[in-house]
């Protein structure tokens, strides 16, 4: 039966930079995935709850405002609390190298920075889920 | 052979021989995807009427520049956008920039300030001082301009939804130094329409937002005559992904919408229009950009005169600030960004800008470091001092190519104006997502063009360096900033006269619900150290909050 | 990489009210096959109490925005709400941008509201093939009211009438929606007609046009007379009254005994449709059908055998006792 990869693309915090998030959402859609875009100014709580209700496979956070060290851990914690630690969390934006390492340590699976080819993002997700079908 | 016949013959021969030896396999369109010919000649600017389309610098329709002497009379203002951490941190940066020859100041605020939250608000967690300087009250503003003479310099503040409040803080800070309102010059961005369209830092719905703006227009024309009350911005529209023509058209459409709002509020167009200024992007496609600036001046002048009945020449002048395009800069081989920025800055100068910010090479990595910002400033200084381009006003006028492109830009803008009119004007078009969808589509199309290598970005999809190590210093924001700022705001609430603060806030609420100009009360709120967040909360009670109609 | 699942364990957690279990069960229903059947078997006995409201109307009319407003109103009355929002799957990529949720994000901190976005996937029109089952699941999860938003284009918008107790048709003053609605047959299925965006000009006029059209319909005296209402989701106007109308229709159905009848109709058509579906799938998969066709199509191509004759032959291998 048809089985689709479902992705929640979210903009946490006060950040208004949405060009990248929308580009990524469109690229994932064109790669055959089902995308739920939350819109701007989301709290970690809103993101985690949406992810659970939508039973997404992936949560992608786009953060260019420097609030990543607050937002990523919060979303991860809330997902765990809601029994959804299986959801893969990754993201992109302006995130310094040293913070990328810290985020990967707490379980963020990958950070894609400026200049990323969206094909790479698609490849990465497909790579994670390809053993399925 | 000469004359018309000769021209025809020459052209035919030229077209026959064009491409004979083969052509490069390159996408020969502008960075906006607009087609460009191999050659432009006199027939591409047929019927060009010098006085009607160009005029002399300082003369209607100002295509060749807004001042007769242009840069021989006065260089553009070198104004680097700066702000990070606490007011104290940023004050130090301002002194550094001024010491290095910068001629104007430009404040970058942090996200909580931009969105109207105090530093101790729950929604501010993790965001304080990270994207700009944290300003909660008059106290922070006083620190920000410590040891800076506000009569001797102009300051631009990139603030929109809460612009009235930060203007009140600024004016009060000057007042406390003994500088009168008439002596203070500067700019608030205060362009809410492009917030809904591109920058996405709104607070109130359009209607009350426009009311606040017209209050500012009215107040400043009476009391702060040197203040630029709206900086109508294409920069953000372009950075969100639009094409050059969209930037031009949407920005001017916003400008006209403000003019209409001012007129509808009963203001005399010649009283407020001279204080409107513009803010454009300097992107990579050199000639397309120059054509854009020239077309902008021409369209504005003609419409202001013909449609809005402006009599004062100053109402027809389109003065503009320019910032080089941050979105063209790369995380890969960041030093290359210095070169990109230099080309972009040059286009702005050749296009006749009044003020310029050049981006730093570390644009994609962090807020600019001292070293990076100095190089960026030096780039402008080199253009001014070393290249000789300042000698002549509008040096590219008369170029077949540039004049044809200028016309083309104008025509494309006019097409967009008609579509916006059909949708019922700018606010209605925003509600229907027209701008947002146009921009989103252009942004995605560009991304795909880059990924297909139709558009080349050195270091990103060509000429990459494997395993590159970034080797430039980066600015880090100390996480302690947030705690300091939270403590400072608690101190203020403990020290000020809270009864007075509450009374002024109540007065503000009453003025908002009624029709009085908000600025005088806003100043009173500032003077008794009401915080930005408190003022916004009070206004939200009356004005409500905007909800974005998102379109994908 | 996606974790496997254990249906009995999920059902256990579902019964305890865990949102994550309910959400995963919906995914299984969406993906179809025998697992989906097992899920439905596991929850069907828990259904029947929820009231189902379908929302249709052209894209952009304000379906999602109004559902958001209505949900707020129903929450004041402490009703537990399930929302199923369907968006189209791209025929080119098979992907989808599910955009309805954006308008409802402010509900996500309310534990009694469950919003699920579905892509239309294989379905030809306005709803997803698993809409019935997902509705059942929300019903079994204890929701009082289930609001179903269709894609809003295409013929099979009409299908919503087979799935909902109340059908709401949402229109806007612009672009002569009323006429479009008539053409698309929406006039026949609507119980409530909403003229949204009443903050725009001409809304009242457009609403009157709909009223006039409805007057032409022959309706028995004791039958429900479709109602027309003006709303503005933007300004939250008319939305309380709108919620009231839905309630009124529900009471009407209950008192007239039509509620039970409708429920039966819905289930009847579900069984029929599921059967047809299954039969079709079996036929498509049948080796003998494939073989016979491979053998005999040449006769059809060359005019020796009419299509009907061949079908008669094929029919012989299908045995329905
Ligand atoms: C465009 C831009 C803007 C536009 C935004 C328009 C819009 N609607 O998006 C405008 C001009 C409005 C703007 C404003 C501001 N900006 Co700005 N902006 C940029 C800029 C130049 C480019 C960002 C961009 O869109 N790039 C193009 C897209 C396609 O790339 P991207 O977003 O990086 O996305 C790619 C990857 O990151 C990744 N990705 C991104 N998201 C996701 C999500 C997922 C799930 C995945 C897998 C991948 C992924 O994949 C994408 C494709 O390659 C950056 C600097 C830079 N060059 O990166 C500064 C930058 C982000 N801005 C900055 C700042 C400070 C601001 C302001 C706060 C300035 C101020 N004080 O007023 C304002 C406020 C904006 C707001 N409301 O939030 C800073 C942030 C500093 C920091 N974090 O430390 C930056 C880094 C510039 C700088 N060095 O100072 N900005
Ligand atoms: N002016 C106005 N706009 C509305 C109203 N209701 C919805 N909208 C806007 O119309 C657009 C489409 O709304 P949406 O709920 O997504 O429509 P749907 O496609 O039918 O679900 C959005 O931009 C909404 O903000 C209304 O009553 N008045
Ligand atoms: Mg919708």
């Amino acid at each position: 039966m048809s089985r689709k990869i479902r992705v929640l693309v979210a903009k946490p915090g006060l950040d208004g930079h949405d060009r990248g998030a929308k580009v990524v959402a469109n690229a994932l859609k064109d790669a055959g995935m089902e995308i739920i875009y939350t819109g701007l100014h989301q709290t970690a709580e809103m993101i985690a709850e949406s992810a659970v209700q939508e039973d997404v496979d992936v949560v992608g956070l786009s953060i260019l405002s420097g609030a990543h060290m607050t937002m990523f851990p919060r979303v991860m914690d809330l997902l765990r609390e809601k029994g959804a630690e299986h959801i893969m969390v990754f993201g992109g934006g302006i995130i310094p190298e040293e913070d990328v390492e810290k985020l990967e340590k707490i379980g963020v699976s990958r950070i894609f920075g400026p200049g990323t080819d969206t094909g790479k993002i698609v490849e990465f997700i497909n790579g994670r889920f390809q053993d399925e079908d | 052979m000469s004359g018309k016949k000769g021209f025809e013959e020459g052209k035919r021969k030229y077209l026959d021989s064009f491409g004979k030896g083969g052509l490069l396999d390159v996408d020969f369109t502008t960075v906006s995807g607009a087609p460009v010919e191999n050659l432009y000649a006199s027939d591409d600017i047929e019927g060009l009427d010098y006085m009607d389309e160009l005029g002399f610098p300082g003369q209607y329709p100002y295509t060749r520049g807004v001042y007769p002497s242009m840069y021989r009379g006065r260089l553009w203002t070198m104004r680097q956008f700066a702000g990070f951490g606490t007011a104290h941190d940023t004050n130090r940066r301002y002194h550094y920039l001024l010491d290095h020859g910068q001629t104007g100041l430009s404040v970058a605020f942090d996200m909580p300030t931009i969105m109207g939250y105090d530093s101790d608000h729950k929604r501010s967690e993790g965001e304080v001082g990270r994207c700009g300087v944290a300003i909660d009250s008059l106290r922070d503003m006083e620190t920000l301009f410590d040891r800076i003479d506000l009569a001797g310099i102009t300051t631009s503040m990139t603030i929109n939804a809460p612009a009235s409040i930060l203007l009140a803080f600024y004016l009060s800070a000057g007042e406390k130094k003994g500088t009168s309102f008439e002596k203070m010059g500067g700019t608030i961005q205060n362009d809410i329409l492009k917030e809904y369209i591109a920058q996405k830092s709104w607070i109130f719905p359009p209607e009350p937002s426009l009311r606040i703006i017209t209050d500012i227009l009215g107040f400043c024309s009476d009391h702060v005559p040197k203040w630029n009350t709206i900086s109508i911005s294409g920069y953000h529209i372009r950075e969100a992904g639009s094409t050059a023509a969209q930037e031009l058209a949407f920005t001017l459409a916003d400008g006209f919408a403000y003019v209409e709002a001012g007129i509808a509020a009963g203001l005399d167009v010649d009283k407020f229009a001279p204080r409107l200024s513009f803010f454009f992007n300097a992107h990579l496609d050199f000639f397309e950009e120059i054509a854009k600036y020239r077309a902008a001046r021409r369209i504005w002048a003609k419409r202001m005169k013909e449609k809005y009945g402006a009599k004062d020449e100053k109402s027809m002048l389109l003065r503009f600030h320019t910032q080089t395009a941050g979105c063209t800069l790369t995380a890969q081989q960041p030093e290359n960004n210095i070169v990109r920025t230099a080309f972009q800055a040059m286009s702005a100068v050749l296009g006749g800008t009044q003020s310029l910010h050049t981006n730093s090479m570390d644009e994609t990595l962090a807020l600019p470091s001292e070293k990076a910002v100095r190089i960026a400033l030096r780039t402008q200084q080199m253009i001014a001092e070393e290249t000789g381009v300042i000698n002549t006003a509008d040096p590219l006028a008369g170029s077949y190519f540039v004049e044809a492109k200028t016309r083309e830009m104008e025509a494309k803008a006019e097409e967009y104006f008609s579509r916006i009119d059909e949708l019922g004007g700018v606010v209605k078009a925003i509600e229907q997502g027209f701008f947002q969808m146009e921009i989103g589509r252009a942004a995605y199309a560009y991304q795909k063009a880059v990924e297909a290598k139709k558009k080349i970005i050195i270091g990103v999809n060509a000429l990459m360096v494997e395993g590159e190590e970034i080797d430039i210093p980066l600015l880090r924001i100390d996480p302690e900033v947030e705690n300091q700022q939270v403590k400072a705001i608690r101190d203020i609430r403990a020290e000020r006269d809270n009864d007075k603060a509450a009374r002024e806030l109540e007065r503000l609420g009453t003025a908002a619900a009624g029709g009085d100009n908000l600025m005088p009360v806003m100043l009173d709120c500032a003077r008794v150290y009401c915080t930005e967040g408190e003022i916004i909360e009070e206004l939200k009670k009356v004005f409500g909050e905007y909800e974005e109609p998102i379109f994908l | 990489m996606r974790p496997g699942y254990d249906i009995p364990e999920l059902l256990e957690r579902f019964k305890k009210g865990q949102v994550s279990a309910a959400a995963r069960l919906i995914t299984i229903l969406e993906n179809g096959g025998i697992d989906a059947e097992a899920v439905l078997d596991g929850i069907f006995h828990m259904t029947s109490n929820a009231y189902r409201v379908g929302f249709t109307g052209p894209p952009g009319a304000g379906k999602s925005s109004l559902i958001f407003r209505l949900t707020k109103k129903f929450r004041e009355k402490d009703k537990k709400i399930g929302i199923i929002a369907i968006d189209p799957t791209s025929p080119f990529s098979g992907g989808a941008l599910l955009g309805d949720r954006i308008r409802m994000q402010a509900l996500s901190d309310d534990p009694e509201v469950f919003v699920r976005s579905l892509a239309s996937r294989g379905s030809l029109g306005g709803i997803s093939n698993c809409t019935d089952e997902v509705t059942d699941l929300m019903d079994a999860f204890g929701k009082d009211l289930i609001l179903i938003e269709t894609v809003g284009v295409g013929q099979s918008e009409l299908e919503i009438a087979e799935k909902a107790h109340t059908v709401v048709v949402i229109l806007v003053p612009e672009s002569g929606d009323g006429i479009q609605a008539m053409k698309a047959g929406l006039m026949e299925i609507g119980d409530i007609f909403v003229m949204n965006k009443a903050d725009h000009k001409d809304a009242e006029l457009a609403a009157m046009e709909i009223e006039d059209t409805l007057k032409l319909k022959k309706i028995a005296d004791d039958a429900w007379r479709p109602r027309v209402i003006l709303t503005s989701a933007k300004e939250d106007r008319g939305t309380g009254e709108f919620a009231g109308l839905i309630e009124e229709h529900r009471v009407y159905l209950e008192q007239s005994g039509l509620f039970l009848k409708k429920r039966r109709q819905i289930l009847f058509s579900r069984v029929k449709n599921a059967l047809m579906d299954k039969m079709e799938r079996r036929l498509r998969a049948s080796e003998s059908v494939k073989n016979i066709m491979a053998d005999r199509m040449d006769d059809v191509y060359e005019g020796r055998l009419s299509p009907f004759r061949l079908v008669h032959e094929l029919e012989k291998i299908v045995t329905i006792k």
Side-chain angles (χ1 to χ4, degrees):
Chain A
M1 287 280 94
S2 68
R3 177 142 216 205
K4 295 275 160 130
I5 298 175
R6 287 168 66 90
V7 184
L8 185 83
V9 176
K11 287 286 315 174
L14 303 179
D15 189 8
H17 294 92
D18 60 358
R19 175 176 177 171
K22 286 183 172 176
V23 161
V24 170
N26 272 299
L28 297 183
K29 175 203 163 198
D30 284 350
M33 298 176 203
E34 290 180 357
I35 312 304
I36 297 131
Y37 175 57
T38 59
L40 292 166
H41 307 152
Q42 302 290 300
T43 62
E45 181 61 45
M46 286 162 122
I47 293 168
E49 186 58 31
S50 306
V52 170
Q53 291 183 1
E54 297 290 353
D55 190 32
V56 292
D57 304 293
V58 183
V59 169
L61 302 185
S62 175
I63 310 185
L64 288 83
S65 70
H68 48 273
M69 295 311 287
T70 309
M71 286 305 181
F72 271 104
R74 259 191 210 170
V75 170
M76 308 278 292
D77 286 349
L78 284 167
L79 285 175
R80 209 170 301 124
E81 255 171 51
K82 292 173 190 283
E85 58 278 342
H86 59 273
I87 296 178
M88 174 177 121
V89 177
F90 79 150
I94 305 293
I95 299 177
E97 207 42 55
E98 60 200 54
D99 291 347
V100 171
E101 278 163 31
K102 286 185 208 151
L103 291 174
E104 282 172 355
K105 277 219 184 79
I106 63 161
V108 174
S109 57
R110 185 77 180 264
I111 296 292
F112 291 94
T116 301
D117 189 312
T118 56
K120 287 261 161 24
I121 301 172
V122 171
E123 235 171 69
F124 177 75
I125 299 180
N126 282 335
R128 285 292 181 108
F129 295 100
Q130 82 200 146
D131 46 3
E132 306 248 316
D133 305 293
Chain B
M1 219 191 302
S2 58
K4 190 163 163 69
K5 208 155 159 237
F7 183 92
E8 299 288 325
E9 167 107 18
K11 182 154 183 183
R12 195 183 47 72
K13 261 184 158 160
Y14 164 73
L15 289 175
D16 282 349
S17 53
F18 174 70
K20 275 275 161 59
L23 293 171
L24 298 181
D25 180 21
V26 169
D27 174 81
F28 293 108
T29 60
T30 70
V31 77
S32 302
V36 191
E37 300 302 324
N38 183 60
L39 187 84
Y40 289 77
S42 51
D43 56 342
D44 289 298
I45 54 167
E46 220 150 17
L48 185 127
D49 180 322
Y50 185 87
M51 286 313 290
D52 183 48
E53 283 182 50
L54 305 178
F56 287 93
Q59 288 177 21
Y60 188 84
Y62 307 100
T63 311
R64 305 207 58 188
V66 288
Y67 303 124
S69 337
M70 280 310 289
Y71 301 134
R72 286 195 183 204
R74 184 162 172 256
L75 286 176
W76 62 92
T77 306
M78 299 183 189
R79 199 190 287 284
Q80 297 296 98
F81 182 47
F84 61 90
T86 62
H88 189 73
D89 299 331
T90 301
N91 174 261
R92 232 179 304 140
R93 174 63 66 90
Y94 290 168
H95 283 287
Y96 174 87
L97 286 165
L98 293 170
D99 291 346
H100 282 86
Q102 170 165 280
T103 51
L105 290 173
S106 170
V107 189
F109 296 100
D110 70 353
M111 287 313 304
T113 308
I114 289 172
M115 297 296 292
Y117 295 107
D118 282 339
S119 297
D120 61 347
H121 193 281
K122 188 149 184 14
R123 297 230 53 178
S124 303
E125 270 175 64
E127 316 245 18
V128 177
R130 297 209 162 257
C131 269
V133 59
I135 302 290
D136 289 316
S137 73
L138 170 58
R139 172 93 30 102
D140 294 324
M141 197 63 104
E142 291 171 72
T143 310
L144 188 64
F145 292 100
D146 187 35
R147 292 180 299 120
I148 295 172
D149 172 16
L150 297 188
I153 195 148
T154 58
T155 303
S156 166
M157 293 193 278
T158 298
I159 194 74
N160 295 278
S164 56
I165 302 172
L166 285 130
L167 175 60
F169 289 173
Y170 187 87
L171 294 176
S172 306
E175 189 176 65
K176 290 195 83 177
K177 284 172 187 268
T179 314
S180 64
F181 289 1
E182 305 84 72
K183 290 221 179 78
M184 282 185 265
T187 307
I188 40 175
Q189 198 161 74
N190 197 25
D191 171 11
I192 199 69
L193 293 173
K194 68 91 179 50
E195 292 299 327
Y196 305 128
I197 294 173
Q199 176 156 257
K200 320 282 169 106
S201 48
W202 50 71
I203 299 177
F204 313 116
E207 217 174 286
S209 296
L210 286 170
R211 180 257 171 113
I212 300 175
I213 290 173
T214 49
D215 281 358
I216 296 174
L217 296 182
F219 180 83
C220 288
S221 68
D222 290 339
H223 304 286
V224 204
K226 291 206 288 185
W227 204 268
N228 294 312
T229 45
I230 313 180
S231 168
I232 306 153
S233 307
Y235 183 77
H236 313 76
I237 291 171
R238 191 67 181 280
E239 289 287 297
S242 84
T243 63
Q246 288 167 342
E247 179 195 350
L248 175 68
F250 299 172
T251 310
L252 290 176
D254 287 349
F256 298 132
Y258 293 122
V259 170
E260 287 169 20
I263 294 173
L267 303 172
D268 170 8
V269 69
D270 284 325
K271 222 173 149 204
F272 70 86
R275 297 320 302 171
L276 301 179
S277 64
F278 284 80
F279 173 14
F280 288 113
N281 191 290
H283 212 282
L284 276 169
D285 202 293
F286 201 73
F287 294 104
E288 186 172 53
E289 294 303 281
I290 294 168
K292 178 184 78 186
Y293 309 126
R294 299 176 84 248
R297 279 192 293 266
R298 182 152 81 209
I299 300 169
W300 183 254
K302 293 203 161 173
R303 283 226 167 184
M304 287 308 286
K305 182 173 176 179
E306 287 160 19
K307 183 159 179 199
Y308 299 110
K311 305 261 171 343
D312 185 346
E313 295 242 305
K314 289 204 198 80
S315 301
M316 304 171 207
L317 294 185
L318 180 143
R319 298 169 297 127
F320 69 103
H321 171 70
T322 310
Q323 178 168 340
T324 57
C327 64
T328 64
L329 303 185
T330 62
Q332 298 73 15
Q333 306 170 45
E335 295 90 337
N336 295 348
N337 293 331
I338 299 172
V339 184
R340 292 191 179 96
T341 298
F343 290 136
Q344 297 166 0
M346 185 64 108
S347 77
V349 170
L350 294 179
T353 195
Q354 275 60 60
S355 151
L356 182 60
H357 164 103
T358 31
N359 284 324
S360 298
M361 63 174 154
D362 50 7
E363 170 75 13
T364 64
L365 303 168
L367 296 182
S369 71
E370 246 176 35
K371 175 167 180 177
V373 76
R374 191 179 66 217
I375 296 174
L377 176 60
R378 293 286 181 260
T379 306
Q380 295 194 40
Q381 292 162 333
M382 279 180 241
I383 294 176
E385 307 289 345
E386 300 181 6
T387 66
V389 296
I390 64 165
N391 293 341
T392 301
D394 192 27
L396 292 173
S399 146
Y400 301 128
F401 179 35
V402 171
E403 295 300 355
K405 272 278 156 195
T406 304
R407 278 182 170 183
E408 185 186 310
M409 278 288 165
E410 189 177 358
K412 282 185 182 164
E414 292 290 346
E415 247 172 66
Y416 273 119
F417 296 155
S418 324
R419 281 172 71 185
I420 295 165
D421 283 345
E422 277 163 29
L423 294 172
V426 172
V427 173
K428 283 273 176 295
I430 289 170
E431 267 183 16
Q432 294 164 61
F434 171 70
F435 304 108
Q436 300 93 311
M437 283 192 281
E438 284 279 308
I439 295 169
R441 251 180 268 163
Y444 190 43
Y446 179 73
Q447 179 80 16
K448 286 205 284 199
V450 169
E451 292 177 1
K453 293 195 168 52
K454 278 193 189 140
K455 293 285 174 218
I456 296 298
I457 305 175
I458 305 287
V460 172
N461 65 1
L463 306 170
M464 285 88 88
V465 172
E466 284 300 320
E468 182 193 2
E469 292 267 335
I470 301 294
D471 163 29
I472 55 174
L474 293 182
L475 180 79
R476 298 260 177 262
I477 308 296
D478 185 351
E480 262 311 296
V481 163
E482 189 158 322
N483 298 333
Q484 286 170 24
Q485 200 63 27
V486 168
K487 187 179 169 305
I489 198 168
R490 299 214 166 126
D491 288 348
I492 288 204
R493 292 207 180 100
E495 289 162 22
R496 70 179 180 192
D497 183 337
N498 280 314
D499 290 339
K500 257 194 201 162
R503 259 198 313 278
E504 296 302 352
L505 286 173
E506 207 187 308
R507 272 184 65 217
L508 181 70
T510 313
D516 290 352
N517 192 311
L518 289 176
M519 280 312 293
V521 211
M522 202 74 93
L523 279 158
D524 288 338
C525 290
R527 289 178 185 122
V528 299
Y529 293 91
C530 292
T531 65
E532 185 202 359
E534 291 164 348
I535 297 176
I536 292 285
E537 279 311 313
E538 195 61 41
L539 294 175
K540 275 184 186 169
K541 284 186 214 156
V542 182
F543 294 151
E545 288 183 68
Y546 180 69
E547 276 169 43
E548 186 189 27
I550 302 167
F551 298 89
L552 284 165
Chain C
M1 251 297 295
R2 194 161 10 190
Y5 50 77
D6 171 353
I7 294 176
E9 185 259 352
L10 283 170
L11 287 170
E12 265 321 295
R13 293 205 287 122
F14 174 80
K15 284 174 191 156
K16 288 190 196 132
Q18 280 191 20
V19 175
S20 61
R24 173 54 49 91
L25 290 171
I26 293 179
T27 306
I28 299 171
L29 289 173
E30 240 194 315
N31 289 335
I34 48 170
D35 284 356
E37 290 177 10
V39 170
L40 195 66
D41 291 348
I43 58 124
F44 191 71
H45 67 280
M46 299 163 70
T47 64
S48 93
N49 294 321
Y51 194 78
R52 304 169 181 206
V53 187
F55 296 78
T56 182
K63 297 183 291 298
S64 305
S65 312
L66 274 174
I67 288 176
F68 169 71
R69 295 293 188 192
L70 276 179
T71 302
K72 286 274 188 198
K73 299 282 179 240
F74 287 126
R75 289 296 300 136
E76 285 166 15
K77 301 218 165 76
D78 228 24
K79 295 246 197 284
K80 301 187 174 91
I81 311 288
I83 298 171
I84 302 172
I86 304 153
D87 269 320
T89 291
S90 154
F92 305 106
S93 68
L97 272 176
L98 308 174
D100 299 317
R101 193 183 183 94
I102 298 178
R103 317 245 181 263
M104 310 173 188
Q105 263 314 74
L107 299 170
S108 54
D109 56 358
D110 183 343
E112 301 300 353
V113 180
F114 190 141
V115 183
R116 182 58 176 250
S117 316
L118 299 178
S120 58
R121 295 203 183 169
S123 148
L124 290 172
I127 46 174
S128 158
N129 286 331
C130 64
T131 307
D132 284 320
E133 290 72 27
V134 176
T135 314
D136 285 344
L137 188 123
M138 289 204 172
D139 182 340
F141 199 52
K143 298 301 176 199
D144 302 314
L145 203 61
I146 297 162
L147 313 179
I148 306 164
E149 175 180 343
T150 72
V151 169
V153 275
Q155 281 299 314
S156 36
E157 278 312 300
L158 305 185
E159 277 177 38
I160 192 65
E162 292 182 5
K163 307 194 182 303
H165 299 116
T166 301
V167 174
V168 176
V169 177
I170 298 176
L171 305 165
V172 277
E174 292 87 12
S175 67
D177 271 350
I179 298 159
Q180 286 303 323
M182 260 193 313
K183 277 198 200 141
L186 291 178
M187 286 321 225
E188 302 307 317
I189 63 163
D191 300 305
I192 299 171
F193 291 83
V194 177
M195 186 54 66
N196 189 37
K197 307 204 181 179
D199 49 295
H200 287 188
K201 64 173 189 326
D202 299 339
E204 268 170 58
L205 206 74
M208 253 141 69
E209 270 171 37
I210 304 283
E211 298 248 22
D212 288 345
T213 321
L214 286 172
K215 279 194 192 121
L216 302 176
K217 248 175 92 166
K218 277 218 172 59
I219 297 166
D221 284 347
D222 57 347
W224 173 262
R225 180 160 279 283
R227 306 284 275 278
V228 181
I229 181 175
L230 276 166
T231 63
S232 167
K234 186 181 167 201
E235 294 169 358
D236 201 11
R237 274 200 286 132
T239 45
E241 201 185 325
F242 179 21
L245 265 186
I246 293 175
E247 180 57 18
E248 200 181 308
H249 187 235
R250 190 187 67 80
V251 169
Y252 162 78
L253 288 181
E254 252 168 26
Q255 290 180 348
S256 62
L258 281 173
F259 183 77
L260 255 180
K261 200 170 152 205
K262 205 153 184 169
R263 185 177 133 74
R264 283 163 177 242
Q265 266 171 9
I266 291 173
L267 287 170
F268 190 86
S269 70
R270 272 178 69 180
V271 172
K272 223 172 63 187
N273 290 344
L275 176 69
M276 296 301 181
D277 223 46
K278 200 141 204 177
M279 287 301 140
E280 187 182 329
R281 238 176 295 141
R282 270 172 63 184
L283 274 178
R284 283 182 195 282
S286 157
E287 284 302 316
S288 22
V289 170
K290 269 184 213 147
N291 290 340
I292 296 179
M293 282 187 66
D295 273 359
R296 303 282 275 140
M297 275 312 285
D298 275 346
D299 293 339
V300 179
Y301 296 146
E302 277 148 36
R304 289 189 293 273
L305 186 68
S306 89
F308 283 142
R309 268 307 116 216
L310 176 55
V311 170
H312 273 290
E313 274 181 42
L314 286 166
E315 238 182 342
K316 284 184 194 131
I317 62 165
V318 183
T319 44
I320 297 177
K321 290 196 189 106

